[in-house]
Amino acid sequence: MPEQTPPPWQWDEPTWRGHVDRVRAGRSLSPSTWPGGARVAVALSFDSDHETIPLRDAETLPGKLAQGEYGARVGVPRILRLLQRHQAPASFFVPAVSALLHEGEAASYVEHGHEVALHGWIHERNTQIPAEAERELTLRAADTLERLTGARPVGIRTPSWDFSPHTLAITRELGLVYDSSLMADDEPYELLAGGEPTGVVEIPVEWIRDDAPYFMMERFGSLRPYTPPRGVLSIWKDEFDQAYAEGGLFQLTMHPHIIGHRSRMAILSELLEHISARSDVWYATHAQIAEYVLDQAAGTAPQEKTP
């Protein structure tokens, strides 16, 4: 009979400490200033999942697939026009299957001055697949996006922010500059692996700053969009205003098939008007932010962020 794992309340200190220390927040990489004397950095991001979420779950009927197709057919063009109006570069995290399904879309992001970064192969749940499968899919996705866009991705956001015990090692093997899947801070920080610095920048996310928790709906389940768009706008404005007051980072995660609808684009447009009313804002891709904070930290002694 296989040996049973003891329940958590019976773990010894090396066991619980080992779990916590596997991937941990290290030194803060929050810079003292942003480029051009900007007071705040704004990192807009869009996860172009399109049809990959139903496909991942083997949901192949036209209804679910059409919901995803809306993101590519309607949401993306609206988003690109809005970003162009505000001259705001953004990061698009693209499952490779999405990029293959919609010919030319990933390349169009680059042509408009945006970043294309990794977001899995088919929006797989990487904590539910073997380590070697996660590695193979991530490498295959990187090769695919490079072929389609002409640029090798330098960052990753795991599908559903699903970070396995092997994700960081794969990220380092690929030589990626940053990850954007974890939530240990408001500001950029360095990831530690087993207590050791990795050089990988974390651009932290948060469900508060993600459109999906507010707007998703499941027809046959209890999932409903309970927060009206104007309520979400109020939350996001407050998040930006506080980031501005602190001289920090405002990071936002959205999905073309969710935010791309008319009433939701209206609040995103109003949010960007609110942000752009400030003259001292730096709109930047996640890659630009990661590279900037690394440059600022180069040659300085690592310091923990103080509350």
Side-chain angles (χ1 to χ4, degrees):
M1 179 177 291
E3 183 179 351
Q4 291 185 338
T5 303
W9 65 85
Q10 293 180 351
W11 288 347
D12 57 16
E13 182 172 346
T15 299
W16 52 256
R17 193 175 293 280
H19 288 301
V20 170
D21 287 344
R22 179 182 287 119
V23 178
R24 197 74 165 156
R27 60 174 175 162
S28 174
L29 295 174
S30 181
S32 57
T33 60
W34 294 109
R39 175 71 183 173
V40 67
V42 173
L44 304 174
S45 64
F46 299 87
D47 295 357
S48 299
D49 300 333
H50 304 339
E51 297 94 338
T52 59
I53 294 177
L55 287 174
R56 172 202 64 198
D57 296 331
E59 295 185 23
T60 57
L61 293 176
K64 282 280 191 179
L65 294 174
Q67 280 184 288
E69 187 180 13
Y70 184 95
R73 183 181 176 88
V74 181
V76 166
R78 284 177 174 163
I79 289 164
L80 291 177
R81 289 194 296 269
L82 180 62
L83 294 175
Q84 185 172 15
R85 186 157 75 243
H86 288 273
Q87 298 184 322
S91 297
F92 287 82
F93 294 87
V94 186
V97 168
S98 284
L100 291 167
L101 279 170
H102 301 283
E103 183 178 358
E105 182 181 303
S108 76
Y109 297 149
V110 177
E111 291 165 6
H112 282 83
H114 306 300
E115 174 194 8
V116 173
L118 287 164
H119 198 46
W121 173 256
I122 196 169
H123 212 277
E124 59 276 4
R125 293 186 173 95
N126 61 19
T127 58
Q128 298 180 14
I129 59 177
E132 187 51 42
E134 180 186 358
R135 177 183 180 275
E136 193 276 327
L137 290 172
T138 307
L139 269 61
R140 193 199 314 172
D143 291 343
T144 301
L145 292 184
E146 181 178 23
R147 176 171 59 83
L148 294 176
T149 67
R152 188 77 172 173
V154 300
I156 185 170
R157 172 173 294 154
T158 58
S160 303
W161 305 342
D162 204 12
F163 209 95
S164 85
H166 316 287
T167 301
L168 183 53
I170 296 167
T171 298
R172 298 178 74 183
E173 180 184 348
L174 278 168
L176 300 176
V177 176
Y178 76 88
D179 172 76
S180 185
S181 315
L182 301 175
M183 311 182 192
D185 206 319
D186 298 308
E187 310 300 337
Y189 58 90
E190 183 177 14
L191 289 177
L192 303 179
E196 296 297 321
T198 65
V200 177
V201 178
E202 182 62 35
I203 310 284
V205 292
E206 226 302 321
W207 294 114
I208 297 168
R209 302 188 309 276
D210 186 305
D211 60 356
Y214 302 109
F215 296 138
M216 287 181 67
M217 174 171 170
E218 178 58 50
R219 180 182 176 191
F220 298 111
S222 60
L223 186 62
R224 292 290 187 274
Y226 293 108
T227 308
R230 294 285 156 183
V232 178
L233 174 61
S234 177
I235 294 169
W236 288 353
K237 277 185 175 181
D238 287 346
E239 285 281 325
F240 167 76
D241 288 346
Q242 192 59 35
Y244 183 89
E246 296 175 359
L249 170 68
F250 173 69
Q251 187 279 341
L252 194 60
T253 301
M254 295 162 286
H255 303 75
H257 72 285
I258 296 176
I259 201 70
H261 290 272
R262 290 166 174 159
S263 61
R264 298 163 186 180
M265 286 300 297
I267 69 158
L268 179 56
S269 178
E270 189 170 330
L271 176 67
L272 295 192
E273 294 289 348
H274 177 73
I275 292 170
S276 297
R278 305 276 192 175
S279 61
D280 48 354
V281 170
W282 181 43
Y283 285 109
T285 67
H286 286 48
Q288 289 170 330
I289 288 169
E291 290 163 6
Y292 179 79
V293 299
L294 282 175
D295 286 345
Q296 292 297 298
T300 62
Q303 293 183 347
E304 292 296 326
K305 182 176 180 179
T306 56

